[in-house]
Amino acid sequence: MPYHKDKQQSFQAAQQGFEDAQGLYSEIVRDSASYGHQLKHLKNEVNEAFQQIENALENASEHQRAQLERFQQDLQSIVTEVNME
């Protein structure tokens, strides 16, 4: 039972990290004076989310693994889009 609980907790942490990074990305104001600061904060959140996803992948169920891989793809899209600006 503790193993299942750990799987669920690590998945939820990864999901929360992903949602936090996605939310921050959607709030960035590109022509704002604080854009650089916002970008730095976003980079930290994205890196943290990637780490949480990697941790969760270590013991994820098949369904969780598919969702975590989608989170990774979406985060990579954010990184790509930010780097193109």
Side-chain angles (χ1 to χ4, degrees), residues 16-64:
Q16 186 63 52
F18 168 74
E19 290 171 358
D20 290 349
Q22 200 174 40
L24 198 58
Y25 175 68
S26 70
E27 292 174 6
I28 286 184
V29 180
R30 282 155 180 75
D31 58 355
S32 164
S34 63
Y35 177 69
H37 175 75
Q38 292 174 357
L39 209 53
K40 185 177 179 182
H41 187 59
L42 174 63
K43 181 180 176 185
N44 291 338
E45 286 292 325
V46 166
N47 287 337
E48 188 175 316
F50 270 126
Q51 187 59 53
Q52 289 169 327
I53 290 168
E54 284 299 317
N55 292 342
L57 280 168
E58 290 178 15
N59 62 359
S61 69
E62 210 172 301
H63 175 72
Q64 289 172 332

